[in-house]
Amino acid sequence: MPRTRRTGRITLVGGGPGPADLLTLRAAKVLTEADVVYFDRLGPTEDLAALAPRATFVDVGKTPGHHKVSQEDITARMIDGARGGLHVVRLKGGDPFVFGRGGEEMSAAVAAGIPVTVVPGVSSAIAVPGAAGIPVTHRNVSHLFTVVSGHAPLTGKEYRHLAGLGGTIVVLMGIGTLPSLVAGLRMAGLASGTPVAVVERGFSHTQRTTIATLGRIVSASSACRNPAVIVIGDVVDLAQSNGLAVSDFLEDASLQSA
Ligand code: SAH
């Protein structure tokens, strides 16, 4: 009998917003079976060796504007690994299909004839506001939420639709474009008194929440950095302390110690 080579596969795994105990049970199980794990800086990066004891690790992390490994390169390497018989895990922050390029990796694997499965993850779009005590929906306050990428400025039409929709607006990757987002939403008619929260480094020891009105958030958040989730809408007024220091809920950056 000729020896058949073991078929490799790819699993796209959502790693959640950072702490390892926010991985799903399925994500943790898949990691124990991984031969190689491609990871980046969001999602769980500590204790990876304990979570995936059999695996070798490849850091493909990107900081904004600073691509370490190109997306094409990541995909090509994963496909090569799977062709070689390995179980390749692509571990991503949050959910793989929320601004995570998971769809591209899935399509590339399918086109290459590699079996691919997806394990969903806890997305920062919902979890990080929650960590600051902000529910993205709330009875009689907001019955919808829209998740927007701040990677590039929106068009005038998009601002008008967003402002007209009501409900909660959640922005990821939005620190760099916050001034244009605020200007666009105000031009489109969103009230300047609308509350806004910027939640930085959710679930870390240095998590910080800055709250101000739409009219004042740009100056109030001048010290804020990615990763951060921006929440716009009346649900921000529901922010609860959740055991965080009261200083996490300052209304005005001028009161904030650096
Ligand atoms: N797939 C991810 C999002 C990837 S885009 C998900 O579902 O969560 C990366 C953006 O996610 C960051 O710029 C930031 O806006 C947000 N983000 C991810 N983890 C975060 C965290 N722990 N705290 C604050 N923002 C976070």
Side-chain angles (χ1 to χ4, degrees):
M1 283 282 282
R3 274 182 46 196
T4 50
R5 203 168 61 176
R6 190 163 73 106
T7 325
R9 60 197 166 107
I10 294 176
T11 311
L12 306 177
V13 175
D21 61 357
L22 285 176
L23 283 166
T24 64
L25 295 174
R26 188 177 298 186
K29 177 167 180 287
V30 165
L31 282 167
T32 64
E33 300 161 355
D35 295 313
V36 53
V37 176
Y38 288 79
F39 70 100
D40 48 47
R41 90 205 139 86
L42 295 169
T45 47
E46 282 171 30
D47 303 331
L48 268 187
L51 289 166
R54 281 182 23 196
T56 53
F57 296 94
V58 184
D59 182 357
V60 292
K62 303 179 193 108
T63 50
H66 193 90
H67 292 243
K68 268 204 221 159
V69 184
S70 75
Q71 183 62 45
E72 294 66 33
D73 211 15
I74 296 171
T75 311
R77 287 202 220 174
M78 293 199 305
I79 288 171
D80 276 356
R83 285 207 171 112
L86 300 178
H87 180 191
V88 176
V89 167
R90 177 70 175 101
L91 181 65
K92 290 168 174 293
D95 184 274
F97 286 170
V98 178
F99 307 136
R101 307 193 73 167
E104 291 164 57
E105 291 166 0
M106 178 181 67
S107 303
V110 169
I114 307 288
V116 57
T117 46
V118 183
V119 177
V122 173
S123 179
S124 65
I126 299 170
V128 170
I134 301 170
V136 291
T137 69
H138 194 79
R139 197 171 152 79
N140 297 331
V141 176
S142 171
H143 66 172
L144 64 98
F145 61 98
T146 310
V147 182
V148 184
S149 166
H151 185 66
L154 304 180
T155 64
K157 195 173 168 189
E158 286 170 324
Y159 287 125
R160 283 194 296 282
H161 285 305
L162 261 184
L165 193 55
T168 308
I169 302 169
V170 177
V171 188
L172 305 192
M173 299 179 281
I175 293 296
T177 52
L178 185 61
S180 59
L181 176 79
V182 167
L185 288 174
R186 290 184 69 182
M187 287 258 289
L190 198 65
S192 65
T194 307
V196 182
V198 178
V199 188
E200 298 169 86
R201 300 176 298 276
F203 298 97
S204 76
H205 296 299
T206 60
Q207 175 176 322
R208 176 172 70 167
T209 305
T210 303
I211 294 179
T213 59
L214 188 66
R216 300 190 61 194
I217 191 65
V218 172
S219 59
S221 66
S222 59
C224 293
R225 300 287 175 265
N226 281 317
V229 173
I230 301 163
V231 190
I232 304 170
D234 291 338
V235 290
V236 169
D237 285 338
L238 298 162
Q240 300 291 315
S241 71
N242 277 351
L244 299 172
V246 175
S247 61
D248 284 338
F249 298 94
L250 290 177
E251 290 185 337
D252 189 329
S254 63
L255 302 173
Q256 233 164 40
S257 53

